[in-house]
Every structure is written in structure tokens, then in C-alpha cells.
Amino acid sequence: FFNLAGGYEYVTREVKSNVNTTKYIADGRIPTALLSEIVRQDTDEQDNLFSFNATVGYEVSTAFIPYFKLSNATRTPYFNEQYGNNPANATQIPNQNLENEKVYGADIGADGQIGNAYYTSALYYQRYKDYIELVNTGYKTNGTNLDIKQFTNLDEADIYGAELMLGYKIFDDIYAQASYTYTRGKNKENNQPLAYIAPQKVTLSLAQKKAKGLSWKIEEELIDNQDKISTVNGEKETSGYELTNASISYAFGKISVFKSTTLSFELNNIFDKDYSEHLTKASSTNFYLVDETGINGAVALQVKF
């Protein structure tokens, strides 16, 4: 089997000068050496973005279906990356001159099923050009002495990793699953880790899945510590942690004009563990990491017409 796909996106950005920069410049928190970095002019940009991916595979048997995929994509900088700032404490300065980020990727993997057992697996590699990363400028704010950061382009960066999922159908509608993810990122300019890369993670779950009636799931998440951090970003290390989550739902089927109605309830971090999520963006400068939510839950009602 094979699959070819392509995409085109036209992006236009008309942005007025970031007048909020006036506040922290007037307050004198930005060192004089950085003032030239704050470009205050209107921008009018247009971009033609193309993307593609090509996948080829072969079903050797139901137990082994390998595939190979090539892909390419381009993105414009997000608004907060190019124009954002922290006027309250002056810890981030904008960069209106950011280039578009481009990525070229290759994936290889296999899926399959043997009796009641099933699996998916993948190895992937991505090479970035003009990778956009938040880095430490080396300057501190006057008075408050906080690191000042700015989004910049790295000439080259690599992200690679692996994903694996193993499952087993214990009964007709009861499944046990285990999944593993591994990700690494490297700044090719200085051979240092990239910032904000997820740590290793193992997820174990036992679930009953029904199209109509009662369904439930118990899940255990095992997250590793992350000590491979970006020195140019000033990123903070995080410790590993373990979370227990549970959910229950009931699908009523057709009710009146609704084709299906499902009421669900989930409870996360049941044992109220203290932890800090490595990918939290509580602060764009990341000079502190807050504890994540303790025990938390949600109730949802889903209807389909």
C-alpha cells in the first residue's frame, strides 16, 4: 500500500508595532545593549507554505505490516515567538526577524496482530532548518536581576525518538495496554540538548470498551526525570513521577433525535501526587516551575445528531 499527500497554505500577517514594549523600556528594566533588538515597526508579510508526505508499506502478514514514511513541512513563527514580550517583568523581548521553521522527517515502523495480541511501533527522525527556540540572551533585567530571553533561529536541530504500544484483548471488550515513548532533541550548533523535550514515559492501562453501556479505564503513567536540558535556554530539570488516573462512561445509544448520548466522568492524579510537568509553559522565561494540579476531575456529556 502507499499514500501520497500534499498541502498548501497561504499565510498573511499584518501586525502593528508592539506598543507594550514602551512600558518596560520606559521603566529602564531592559539593558541598553538590548534596546536595538526591539524593532518597533508595522509588518506586512505573506508566505506560501508547502508540505508533503509519502508513505509506503507492505502487509507481509497480519502479524507484520511494515511501513516507511518521508515528510516535509514549513511553519511561520507563532505570534508570541515573533512579537511577544513580558511587559510586566521584561523577561522576554520580541524578535520580528524570525525566519520560517522547516522540517524534513523520516519514519519507519510496523503494526500487527497475533491472536488477541496487537502492537504498533515506530522510529522517527526529524531534521530542522531555522529551528525556533527560546534562548537566554545572557542579559538580566535592571533592578529585578531576572534572565532575559528571546526566540531565535537555530541553523540546524534534530529531534528523534521511538514509540511502542503493546495490547492484549483479555475478553471480548476488556483490553490491557502498555505504551512507551522516547524523545531526544539536539541543537546542532553547539551539540547541546534542545529545550522542552518530553522525558521518557510508560503508560499502563486496563479498560473495558463498549459501544453501548458501561465502559471504564484505569491508567498508570510513569514519567522519567528530565536532566537532558538546554544550557542556552536556562531550562530547569524535573524529577520523575507516577500518576494514577481513572474514568467511567455510559453510552445510552439513540435517545429521541440524538443518534447517541454518552455521559462520562474522569478522575486524574487520584493519589494527589506532587509533581512538575516538564513541558509546562507556566512562565515563558521558565525561571520557575509550578506544581501541577492535584486531584482533579471532569464530567462530560456528548451527544450526536
Side-chain angles (χ1 to χ4, degrees):
F1 61 90
F2 64 90
N3 178 272
L4 295 174
Y8 168 75
E9 184 178 7
Y10 174 71
V11 180
T12 179
R13 288 169 288 171
E14 296 181 14
V15 183
K16 296 295 184 182
S17 172
N18 192 343
V19 295
N20 285 333
T21 57
T22 305
K23 180 181 185 302
Y24 63 67
I25 293 174
D27 289 347
R29 295 176 187 158
I30 295 293
T32 303
L34 284 180
L35 294 181
S36 61
E37 295 287 327
I38 304 173
V39 179
R40 289 187 289 173
Q41 62 186 27
D42 297 346
T43 58
D44 184 3
E45 300 178 2
Q46 292 83 36
D47 290 280
N48 297 290
L49 307 181
F50 296 90
S51 63
F52 83 89
N53 70 71
T55 303
V56 60
Y58 187 80
E59 186 174 350
V60 179
S61 69
T62 56
F64 184 55
I65 308 173
Y67 72 89
F68 178 69
K69 177 181 177 181
L70 291 174
S71 60
N72 163 255
T74 303
R75 76 171 179 91
T76 59
Y78 300 133
F79 185 86
N80 69 300
E81 294 170 339
Q82 193 162 14
Y83 306 100
N85 62 72
N86 291 341
N89 54 29
T91 50
Q92 181 189 333
I93 58 175
N95 183 356
Q96 292 185 211
N97 298 317
L98 283 177
E99 299 292 336
N100 291 343
E101 182 181 272
K102 297 168 284 293
V103 60
Y104 305 85
D107 300 56
I108 185 171
D111 305 334
Q113 181 172 348
I114 307 173
N116 287 348
Y118 53 93
Y119 73 93
T120 63
S121 61
L123 298 173
Y124 64 89
Y125 171 80
Q126 297 173 331
R127 167 59 60 90
Y128 286 83
K129 300 290 186 182
D130 293 320
Y131 183 84
I132 298 174
E133 184 173 49
L134 185 65
V135 303
N136 199 329
T137 64
Y139 292 90
K140 292 182 179 292
T141 55
N142 295 323
T144 51
N145 203 39
L146 298 174
D147 290 333
I148 300 175
K149 298 186 179 183
Q150 182 184 45
F151 283 97
T152 62
N153 289 114
L154 306 180
D155 287 340
E156 289 187 350
D158 291 342
I159 294 180
Y160 55 91
E163 298 177 353
L164 175 64
M165 186 278 291
L166 300 173
Y168 189 84
K169 184 169 72 171
I170 302 173
F171 301 111
D172 286 344
D173 54 9
I174 296 181
Y175 301 82
Q177 283 190 181
S179 63
Y180 169 74
T181 58
Y182 170 90
T183 309
R184 285 289 177 265
K186 182 175 288 187
N187 177 345
K188 301 292 285 185
E189 289 185 5
N190 55 20
N191 204 33
Q192 291 289 319
L194 291 176
Y196 305 122
I197 298 297
Q200 297 181 91
K201 179 179 179 180
V202 172
T203 303
L204 308 173
S205 67
L206 182 66
Q208 182 178 40
K209 305 174 185 178
K210 288 186 175 182
K212 184 178 180 180
L214 184 69
S215 297
W216 52 266
K217 182 178 181 180
I218 299 174
E219 180 182 76
E220 193 76 7
E221 294 183 290
L222 309 171
I223 294 89
D224 196 9
N225 67 300
Q226 182 57 289
D227 55 6
K228 294 177 175 59
I229 55 175
S230 169
T231 55
V232 297
N233 174 272
E235 190 178 17
K236 304 297 182 183
E237 294 185 11
T238 50
S239 301
Y241 56 91
E242 179 180 342
L243 298 178
T244 304
N245 310 313
S247 63
I248 188 170
S249 65
Y250 195 91
F252 294 94
K254 182 176 175 59
I255 298 178
S256 184
V257 298
F258 305 123
K259 293 182 179 179
S260 66
T261 303
T262 304
L263 179 65
S264 60
F265 171 70
E266 66 178 42
L267 191 63
N268 302 309
N269 193 8
I270 292 174
F271 297 109
D272 198 20
K273 296 290 185 69
D274 292 331
Y275 70 100
S276 293
E277 166 63 48
H278 191 76
L279 298 185
T280 184
K281 295 291 182 68
S283 168
S284 61
T285 55
N286 209 30
F287 51 80
Y288 69 89
L289 284 174
V290 298
D291 285 340
E292 298 296 324
T293 307
I295 300 175
N296 65 95
V299 177
L301 177 64
Q302 182 183 56
V303 296
K304 292 183 179 180
F305 295 94

Short mmCIF file of all heavy atoms in Angstrom, two decimals, residues 106 123-128 157-162 182-186 188 194 197-198 228:
data_model
loop_
_atom_site.label_atom_id
_atom_site.label_comp_id
_atom_site.label_asym_id
_atom_site.label_seq_id
_atom_site.Cartn_x
_atom_site.Cartn_y
_atom_site.Cartn_z
N ALA A 106 11.69 11.41 8.58
CA ALA A 106 11.62 10.03 8.11
C ALA A 106 11.14 9.15 9.26
O ALA A 106 11.62 9.30 10.39
CB ALA A 106 12.97 9.55 7.61
N LEU A 123 9.99 4.28 14.71
CA LEU A 123 11.19 5.06 14.95
C LEU A 123 11.11 6.28 14.04
O LEU A 123 10.72 6.15 12.88
CB LEU A 123 12.45 4.25 14.62
CG LEU A 123 12.70 2.97 15.42
CD1 LEU A 123 13.88 2.21 14.84
CD2 LEU A 123 12.94 3.29 16.89
N TYR A 124 11.48 7.45 14.55
CA TYR A 124 11.38 8.64 13.70
C TYR A 124 12.59 9.55 13.88
O TYR A 124 13.25 9.56 14.93
CB TYR A 124 10.09 9.41 14.00
CG TYR A 124 10.00 9.98 15.39
CD1 TYR A 124 10.48 11.25 15.69
CD2 TYR A 124 9.41 9.25 16.41
CE1 TYR A 124 10.39 11.78 16.97
CE2 TYR A 124 9.32 9.75 17.70
CZ TYR A 124 9.80 11.01 17.97
OH TYR A 124 9.72 11.52 19.25
N TYR A 125 12.87 10.29 12.82
CA TYR A 125 13.98 11.25 12.82
C TYR A 125 13.53 12.50 12.08
O TYR A 125 12.95 12.40 10.99
CB TYR A 125 15.21 10.66 12.13
CG TYR A 125 16.32 11.65 11.91
CD1 TYR A 125 17.20 11.99 12.95
CD2 TYR A 125 16.49 12.28 10.68
CE1 TYR A 125 18.21 12.91 12.75
CE2 TYR A 125 17.49 13.21 10.48
CZ TYR A 125 18.35 13.52 11.52
OH TYR A 125 19.34 14.45 11.32
N GLN A 126 13.79 13.67 12.66
CA GLN A 126 13.40 14.93 12.05
C GLN A 126 14.60 15.89 12.05
O GLN A 126 15.21 16.12 13.10
CB GLN A 126 12.24 15.57 12.81
CG GLN A 126 10.96 14.73 12.77
CD GLN A 126 9.87 15.27 13.66
OE1 GLN A 126 10.13 15.91 14.67
NE2 GLN A 126 8.62 15.03 13.28
N ARG A 127 14.90 16.45 10.90
CA ARG A 127 15.97 17.45 10.77
C ARG A 127 15.31 18.81 10.52
O ARG A 127 14.53 18.98 9.59
CB ARG A 127 16.90 17.09 9.61
CG ARG A 127 17.86 18.19 9.16
CD ARG A 127 18.80 18.67 10.25
NE ARG A 127 19.65 17.65 10.78
CZ ARG A 127 20.86 17.35 10.29
NH1 ARG A 127 21.31 18.00 9.23
NH2 ARG A 127 21.59 16.42 10.86
N TYR A 128 15.62 19.78 11.38
CA TYR A 128 15.03 21.11 11.30
C TYR A 128 16.04 22.11 10.75
O TYR A 128 17.23 22.06 11.07
CB TYR A 128 14.59 21.59 12.68
CG TYR A 128 13.35 20.92 13.20
CD1 TYR A 128 13.41 19.68 13.83
CD2 TYR A 128 12.09 21.53 13.09
CE1 TYR A 128 12.27 19.06 14.31
CE2 TYR A 128 10.95 20.92 13.58
CZ TYR A 128 11.05 19.69 14.18
OH TYR A 128 9.91 19.08 14.67
N ALA A 157 18.77 21.62 13.81
CA ALA A 157 18.41 20.90 15.02
C ALA A 157 17.82 19.55 14.64
O ALA A 157 17.21 19.41 13.58
CB ALA A 157 17.42 21.69 15.86
N ASP A 158 18.02 18.55 15.49
CA ASP A 158 17.49 17.21 15.25
C ASP A 158 16.56 16.81 16.39
O ASP A 158 16.84 17.11 17.57
CB ASP A 158 18.62 16.17 15.18
CG ASP A 158 19.48 16.33 13.95
OD1 ASP A 158 19.03 16.99 12.99
OD2 ASP A 158 20.60 15.80 13.95
N ILE A 159 15.46 16.15 16.05
CA ILE A 159 14.60 15.52 17.05
C ILE A 159 14.36 14.09 16.57
O ILE A 159 14.02 13.86 15.41
CB ILE A 159 13.26 16.26 17.20
CG1 ILE A 159 13.49 17.65 17.79
CG2 ILE A 159 12.32 15.47 18.11
CD1 ILE A 159 12.22 18.46 17.98
N TYR A 160 14.57 13.12 17.47
CA TYR A 160 14.39 11.72 17.10
C TYR A 160 13.83 10.96 18.29
O TYR A 160 13.89 11.42 19.43
CB TYR A 160 15.72 11.10 16.63
CG TYR A 160 16.85 11.24 17.63
CD1 TYR A 160 17.10 10.26 18.59
CD2 TYR A 160 17.67 12.36 17.61
CE1 TYR A 160 18.13 10.39 19.50
CE2 TYR A 160 18.71 12.51 18.51
CZ TYR A 160 18.93 11.51 19.45
OH TYR A 160 19.94 11.67 20.36
N GLY A 161 13.26 9.81 18.01
CA GLY A 161 12.67 9.06 19.11
C GLY A 161 12.05 7.75 18.66
O GLY A 161 12.20 7.31 17.51
N ALA A 162 11.31 7.14 19.59
CA ALA A 162 10.67 5.85 19.34
C ALA A 162 9.35 5.78 20.09
O ALA A 162 9.20 6.39 21.16
CB ALA A 162 11.59 4.71 19.78
N TYR A 182 9.86 7.67 23.72
CA TYR A 182 11.22 8.17 23.96
C TYR A 182 11.49 9.27 22.95
O TYR A 182 11.26 9.10 21.74
CB TYR A 182 12.23 7.03 23.78
CG TYR A 182 13.68 7.47 23.77
CD1 TYR A 182 14.42 7.55 24.94
CD2 TYR A 182 14.31 7.80 22.56
CE1 TYR A 182 15.76 7.93 24.92
CE2 TYR A 182 15.64 8.19 22.53
CZ TYR A 182 16.35 8.25 23.71
OH TYR A 182 17.68 8.64 23.69
N THR A 183 11.95 10.42 23.42
CA THR A 183 12.23 11.55 22.54
C THR A 183 13.53 12.24 22.96
O THR A 183 13.77 12.43 24.16
CB THR A 183 11.10 12.59 22.58
OG1 THR A 183 9.85 11.95 22.37
CG2 THR A 183 11.30 13.67 21.52
N ARG A 184 14.31 12.61 21.98
CA ARG A 184 15.52 13.39 22.24
C ARG A 184 15.60 14.51 21.20
O ARG A 184 15.18 14.35 20.05
CB ARG A 184 16.78 12.54 22.18
CG ARG A 184 16.98 11.64 23.38
CD ARG A 184 17.35 12.45 24.62
NE ARG A 184 17.47 11.63 25.81
CZ ARG A 184 16.51 11.42 26.69
NH1 ARG A 184 15.32 11.99 26.51
NH2 ARG A 184 16.72 10.67 27.75
N GLY A 185 16.18 15.65 21.60
CA GLY A 185 16.37 16.76 20.69
C GLY A 185 17.77 17.32 20.85
O GLY A 185 18.29 17.39 21.97
N LYS A 186 18.39 17.69 19.72
CA LYS A 186 19.78 18.17 19.78
C LYS A 186 19.94 19.45 18.97
O LYS A 186 19.51 19.55 17.83
CB LYS A 186 20.73 17.10 19.26
CG LYS A 186 22.21 17.49 19.34
CD LYS A 186 23.11 16.35 18.94
CE LYS A 186 23.13 15.27 19.99
NZ LYS A 186 24.15 14.22 19.70
N LYS A 188 22.26 21.41 16.90
CA LYS A 188 23.46 21.05 16.15
C LYS A 188 24.51 22.14 16.16
O LYS A 188 25.67 21.89 15.84
CB LYS A 188 23.07 20.73 14.70
CG LYS A 188 22.07 19.60 14.56
CD LYS A 188 22.66 18.26 14.96
CE LYS A 188 23.61 17.75 13.90
NZ LYS A 188 24.11 16.39 14.21
N LEU A 194 18.05 20.20 23.02
CA LEU A 194 17.04 21.23 22.80
C LEU A 194 16.19 21.40 24.05
O LEU A 194 16.08 20.49 24.87
CB LEU A 194 16.13 20.84 21.63
CG LEU A 194 16.72 20.82 20.23
CD1 LEU A 194 15.67 20.32 19.24
CD2 LEU A 194 17.22 22.20 19.83
N ILE A 197 11.90 19.20 25.67
CA ILE A 197 11.75 17.87 25.11
C ILE A 197 11.16 16.97 26.19
O ILE A 197 11.65 16.94 27.32
CB ILE A 197 13.09 17.31 24.62
CG1 ILE A 197 13.65 18.19 23.49
CG2 ILE A 197 12.93 15.87 24.16
CD1 ILE A 197 12.79 18.23 22.24
N ALA A 198 10.12 16.23 25.85
CA ALA A 198 9.43 15.39 26.83
C ALA A 198 10.33 14.27 27.33
O ALA A 198 11.11 13.69 26.56
CB ALA A 198 8.17 14.80 26.20
N LYS A 228 18.31 16.07 30.71
CA LYS A 228 18.96 16.48 29.45
C LYS A 228 18.31 17.79 29.03
O LYS A 228 17.32 17.80 28.29
CB LYS A 228 18.81 15.40 28.39
CG LYS A 228 19.54 14.11 28.74
CD LYS A 228 19.31 13.04 27.70
CE LYS A 228 20.15 11.81 28.00
NZ LYS A 228 19.86 11.23 29.33
#
